[in-house]
Amino acid sequence: MPVLKREQARDVGDPSGLPKLPVPPLQQTLDMYLKCMSHLIPEEQFKKTKPIVEKFGAPGGMGEFLQKKLLERSEHKANWVYDYWLEDMYLSNRLALPVNSSPVMVFPKQNFRSQSDTLRFAAHLISGVLEYKSLIDGRALPVDYARGQLAGTPLCMDQYNKVFTSYRLPGPKIDTLVAQKSTVMPEPEHIIVACKNQFFVLDAVINFRRLNEKDLYTQLERIRKMADIEEERLPPIGLLTSDGRTQWAEARSVLIKDSTNRDSLDMIERCLCLVCLDEPSGTELTDTNRALLMLHGGRTDKNGGNRWYDKPMQFVIGADGCCGVVCEHSPFEGIVLVQCSEYLLRYMRGSPSKLVRAASMSELPAPRRLRWKCSPDIQAFLTASADKLQRLVKNLDMNVNKFTGYGKEFIKKQKMSPDAYIQVALQFTFYRCHGRLVPTYESASIRRFQEGRVDNIRSSTPEALAFVKAMANSSKITDAEKMELLWTAIKAQTKYTILAITGMAIDNHLLGLREIAKELKLEKPELFSDTTYATSIHFILSTSQVPTTEEMFCCYGPVVPNGYGACYNPQTDHIIFCVSSFRESAETSSDLFVKTLEGCLKEMQDLCIKGNTEAKPTDSTEKMDGNTKVMKNGSKS
Ligand code: COA
């Protein structure tokens, strides 16, 4: 297996000094594709797929031609897959952003005793946002370094530049990720405050001076009062952004015919971020309920319309203490969202509110309410969007569970990668719930490369299947054999992880081959019209590790109607699992999945404890050695 040599791939012309993402060897990808799918599809189907893949990869065949074209592309692009990936993963996806696409970060529950407590929190948070933004603008954020597998490598910082400057513009067929280019004299920066489904412009810079916390508080108080005036309330236009992308694009094209609407849209599209001051939800604020409220805002008569989903960062501050961030995912990954959120929580803890000491600006211009002209057509769009959001709210089945049996420390003590172990546990759980394994997505960061985003670790390995089958047939197989199978599954998972983070996984590569054929207006290669390919990208299990060092957790919805979203946050002595699915699917149940997962994690722990006494490998470090050697220096030993 060829592994990237850092020096070989380094692009000397790139200021970040990071290497370019390599294009994996064609044959390696095709072999892995067959290996990844062979045990997930019926034998008959595999028999049809194998010759299709072989034909594609034959000498002088279509695969070789497309590979050559991809290699050429990689020479003149900083990252050969970036545009293809962005379109495929996000921009051409027509599903509504809430639940289906936008992950959320749930903050610790706050105890606001009064409205001024809430506004004080909001002013403090906005102060932190402005600080963080100036760090990004001044290129003063410390460079992130990889942790865990292949630790120590610097990571690409590009994604940070997009946190407060991007906007996802809906389009009839495909969206556009608009980026505001920073100029020498940036125009005044503003935040949009959503309150009671109304949108207000809060200038963060007035007369070249950044507003201090006291000023921000004063402005927020004024906004709150303006939002309370019932006669001035306008329809909840934000609901349109919660609709399918094509529907929202259509509604937007009607909306912009009016100049008032155009001006309002322009203010929202150019803002730094949104701060959504939510009404009390009226529900008990359990972890699960807070996750639900962040994901969709509750019913449309609650805070569902108090959002603008196209903007990457929406800080939600509920009067009942339910707080967090909703993130439009196309400009950056969850890890960047975590970094920003953690900075803010630390800022708020470490820098006491400066409301009392700061001198307020004498005459602050009043914040402005954004106006909308709603034609009957827009009213009809709003009714349709509200219905759709209501259905999404009813449909989402969420379970946030803190597994307290053990955490990553126990797993490390077994000399296993915690991430690989958790992935195997998720496979075990799926098997126990459904009696089979399915194509699984685990995000693997490729930020070691220029403009790197993610590739996929296909965790439903044949080795994982062998292990989960053995666990299911518990009486016939000895613990020592099961332990051996667990080691094999963990090794396979760790090996795939390393391939993925070094740019050698198969999903981006196959996507590149498919898209370059399209770009060259060639007939779609049979490999991509084959049923197996469609199955391979229907990710029934969509998983992601999003670890935090502050008390908070990330969650998201499933990516297919009959699937699960499973986000996990491993801590020293516990693991937070956020499992989502859709109630409309008869196949799935988040509660059942979580309950089963707890059992599977316990069984795996028992096995490890027994394995350590009965079937301890001669040297457990050696068990992982094949990987460790690749891991340490990034090249095959
Ligand atoms: N024995 C003992 N300890 C081990 C071990 C072993 N065999 N293997 C790993 N560990 C340790 C690591 O050193 C690390 O230690 P640390 O906590 O001190 O840093 C820890 O266990 C975690 O390592 P591991 O569980 O292997 O995972 P990882 O941190 O390498 O993460 C990925 C793996 C795939 C999750 C990570 O590479 C990645 O890509 N993360 C980004 C995911 C992402 O983008 N999420 C957001 C999507 S929106």
Side-chain angles (χ1 to χ4, degrees), residues 41-94:
I41 51 173
E43 209 179 317
E44 277 310 299
Q45 192 182 330
F46 187 73
K47 275 191 194 147
K48 282 190 203 146
T49 295
K50 198 162 176 271
I52 294 174
V53 175
E54 281 164 356
K55 185 176 161 212
F56 182 80
M62 180 59 99
E64 269 191 6
F65 173 74
L66 296 175
Q67 175 79 354
K68 188 168 148 274
K69 292 289 166 195
L70 264 193
L71 287 165
E72 283 168 21
R73 178 182 167 90
S74 74
E75 275 165 29
H76 60 82
K77 291 254 180 200
N79 184 318
W80 58 269
V81 81
Y82 184 86
D83 298 340
Y84 291 158
W85 176 89
L86 188 66
E87 261 191 47
D88 182 69
M89 187 67 119
Y90 296 112
L91 304 181
S92 60
N93 190 337
R94 303 289 77 205

Side-chain angles (χ1 to χ4, degrees), residues 147-149 329 334 408 412 415 417-419 443-445 544-545:
R147 301 196 51 195
Q149 306 292 342
H329 210 338
K408 64 178 175 174
K412 282 190 197 177
K415 304 235 175 336
S417 145
D419 189 70
S443 1
S445 170
S544 192
Q545 181 188 145

